[in-house]
Amino acid sequence: MGTHSHLPLRPYQESAVDEALCRRSLLLALVQGAGKTRTVIETIRILAEEGSVRGGAIFCPSSLKFQWRDAELAKWDSAELAIVIDGSKKKRTQQYQEAHKYRYTILNYDALVHDWDLIKQYLPIDFIVADEVTFIKGLNAKRSKRLKMLGHYARYRYGLSGQPIENRPEELYSIMQFVDPTVLGDPEHFDRTFLVRTPWGKTVGHRNLPLLRQTLGDAMFRRSRADIAEYLPQRIENDIPVHMTGQQAKLYDYIRDDLCNTIDQAMAGGVSGFDVESHYGGGGNSDNNKLKGLVMARITAMRLLCSHPSLLSASAQDYDDPNTASGSAYAAEMDAAGLLDNLPASSAKLDALVAQLKMIFEEDPDAKVVIYSVFKSMVKMIEKEIRDLGFGCVSMTGSTTPRNRQLAIENFNTNPGVRAFVSSDAGAYGVNLDRGTHLISYDFPWSAGTLGQRVARIDRTSTVAPTILISYLYGFGTIDHYQKMMLEQKQAIGDAWVDGRNIDAKGGLELSLSSLRDFMDTPLVF
């Protein structure tokens, strides 16, 4: 019945399939772009053909559901063997009832929250594939707990991630609870063995990391970029620091001082160890969460201002507009105080990007550039600048329909006139841009995993160019710069835990990045 391609597996994929068949529960941690999807489909296909499984579930991010069926399964097995759970509650109910007729039932992680009763009643789970398994990195999240519960009843469990630690080591523990809960033991033992904490519970280092690799053993099949370098393009990375000047710099300094005062106030009020990634808290008392919200509002204002002053003005207008449920109260307050009156219409960072693009396009008529920004409005602005330069461009954000998403990818990969692909992080997962030669991060996400996903869109075994150039654009000495340093530290943590790199002679890793508050006070030398 299958129509799968007969293109042979690469040797490391063959080894991964053998391990998956033998072990039954596996964290498939091939580096991004190395063909995890192909590998796991081949595993399930073999299991089905030998009669070990009839039907099972593939959990994935919502934006990838149809791609799993219409691109991956159509290529490596058969799209006709798959049903995608999507649509209204009534439609989804009918789909769950018919799921037993299919080899693959494809659904997004949120279904574990919204469709739990239907999942328990109808979902076939001879096997469970958790694609981008970092979606269950939160130990206490409802979807994490429920997927782990389902996992107890599945004969085969496979977690897929090129970067199983995105931010902190506890994420790997949560993932392994689904893949094989026997491997890392109870949480207290894991914590005591591998994490170095202050008496107040803050993680300041990691230890016994060689023991971790031993403990994971064959439960994780890992191939890093270095392991399979022969199949990947050569990768060159460079920084593009940008200095803010004039009114933009002046307003940034105002917000920075205000942020420092707010952090001091929060710490004086007993909010210790503020974590910028926790955004607006989530837990703690309401006073603490209010202070955390005030801190986050200022950080967001600084990020908007670094990207483009008009983003901050737009955020103030959105807040004041009764027809929108968005925008920032803090930006509106600054606007009311006249602080946004003299903001420049241009942005030092956008100017630097345009100069970089001109140089790339002029030097190489075949160059194709992928650009990411956190902010949807920035995606539109960058797209306009590229079109004004006279080059073809496609874009993608969270509101792009699955059909238009596919068209944008195809256009970029096949149309010589389309020189750029501009996207929010909605296009950082499951998008194959193998014709890309350059990738530029215009700003940064909080998660190292998301940054890695951006790069993996063109850093793939299928990439056509022999060399790719990855650039990081940031405001020097700004919140951008801090985010970049924080992401580098997170990457070092992931490399140490997953690949055994950066480990000191004692088998540990010290964390060196200063707090956000200290960073704000430290003059940077350029």
Side-chain angles (χ1 to χ4, degrees), residues 331-342:
E333 283 167 22
M334 284 195 290
D335 195 25
L339 291 165
L340 308 188
D341 288 353
N342 301 313

Side-chain angles (χ1 to χ4, degrees), residues 65-66 69-70 82-87 95 104-107:
K65 287 192 298 190
F66 290 98
R69 185 189 68 187
D70 300 335
I83 184 169
V84 177
I85 306 293
D86 193 60
Q95 290 161 349
Y104 305 93
T105 302
I106 303 167
L107 59 173

Side-chain angles (χ1 to χ4, degrees), residues 22 25 50 62 71 92 129-130 169 176 233 355 370 401:
C22 176
S25 59
E50 68 185 26
S62 188
R92 295 199 310 273
V129 173
M176 289 310 297
V370 179
T401 64

Side-chain angles (χ1 to χ4, degrees), residues 424-497:
S424 70
D425 286 313
Y429 288 82
V431 173
N432 182 352
L433 303 172
D434 55 17
R435 297 284 161 166
T437 56
H438 295 67
L439 186 138
I440 302 172
S441 276
Y442 184 81
D443 47 38
F444 299 106
W446 288 116
S447 161
T450 304
L451 186 64
Q453 288 286 357
R454 288 180 177 186
V455 173
R457 296 316 100 213
I458 71 166
D459 188 9
R460 314 182 67 75
T461 55
S462 58
T463 296
V464 175
T467 304
I468 54 171
L469 184 66
I470 313 295
S471 301
Y472 303 100
L473 198 62
Y474 59 93
F476 185 79
T478 69
I479 188 71
D480 271 357
H481 200 159
Y482 182 78
Q483 275 188 275
K484 183 174 185 294
M485 290 161 65
M486 188 175 74
L487 289 165
E488 284 165 357
Q489 177 160 289
K490 287 177 179 178
Q491 186 61 56
I493 292 169
D495 288 347
W497 280 69

Side-chain angles (χ1 to χ4, degrees), residues 385-402:
E385 290 286 343
I386 293 166
R387 291 189 188 283
D388 287 350
L389 288 173
F391 297 105
C393 180
V394 290
S395 67
M396 185 185 292
T397 65
S399 53
T400 307
T401 64

Side-chain angles (χ1 to χ4, degrees), residues 139-186:
L139 271 170
N140 299 313
K142 197 178 270 188
R143 63 186 176 195
S144 296
K145 289 180 173 177
R146 287 181 172 173
L147 189 65
K148 291 165 195 176
M149 275 158 68
L150 278 187
H152 289 309
Y153 302 100
R155 263 180 276 164
Y156 298 86
R157 294 186 302 277
Y158 302 120
L160 276 53
S161 176
Q163 199 161 355
I165 294 177
E166 293 192 334
N167 301 304
R168 51 181 72 86
E170 294 88 331
E171 297 166 357
L172 180 63
Y173 182 82
S174 181
I175 288 165
M176 289 310 297
Q177 279 188 313
F178 161 71
V179 174
D180 187 341
T182 65
V183 171
L184 293 179
D186 68 79

Side-chain angles (χ1 to χ4, degrees), residues 21-165:
L21 291 170
C22 176
R23 211 183 179 285
R24 294 185 168 208
S25 59
L26 187 70
L27 173 56
L28 183 58
L30 298 177
V31 70
Q32 285 112 323
K36 290 181 292 297
T37 308
R38 164 83 201 276
T39 303
V40 84
I41 291 171
E42 183 66 13
T43 303
I44 302 301
R45 195 183 63 74
I46 292 169
L47 288 171
E49 287 184 359
E50 68 185 26
S52 299
V53 300
R54 282 173 61 85
I58 296 171
F59 287 90
C60 65
S62 188
S63 59
L64 302 187
K65 287 192 298 190
F66 290 98
Q67 184 171 320
W68 257 96
R69 185 189 68 187
D70 300 335
E72 304 295 349
L73 285 167
K75 196 173 181 183
W76 307 119
D77 197 346
S78 168
E80 291 167 19
L81 295 171
I83 184 169
V84 177
I85 306 293
D86 193 60
S88 65
K89 183 80 172 184
K90 186 181 174 186
K91 193 175 174 188
R92 295 199 310 273
T93 303
Q94 193 181 345
Q95 290 161 349
Y96 281 112
Q97 288 167 346
E98 292 174 5
H100 66 279
K101 299 174 187 173
Y102 294 86
R103 181 179 294 174
Y104 305 93
T105 302
I106 303 167
L107 59 173
N108 53 297
Y109 285 99
D110 287 341
L112 289 158
V113 178
H114 304 307
D115 295 345
W116 184 233
D117 290 341
L118 292 165
I119 284 172
K120 284 191 295 182
Q121 191 172 353
Y122 297 114
L123 189 66
I125 49 168
D126 290 350
F127 64 85
I128 296 177
V129 173
D131 185 24
E132 302 298 349
V133 70
T134 50
F135 268 66
I136 59 156
K137 66 188 178 187
L139 271 170
N140 299 313
K142 197 178 270 188
R143 63 186 176 195
S144 296
K145 289 180 173 177
R146 287 181 172 173
L147 189 65
K148 291 165 195 176
M149 275 158 68
L150 278 187
H152 289 309
Y153 302 100
R155 263 180 276 164
Y156 298 86
R157 294 186 302 277
Y158 302 120
L160 276 53
S161 176
Q163 199 161 355
I165 294 177

Side-chain angles (χ1 to χ4, degrees), residues 196-207:
V196 183
R197 295 189 187 273
T198 65
W200 298 275
K202 184 183 177 187
T203 304
V204 290
H206 307 122
R207 60 185 165 211

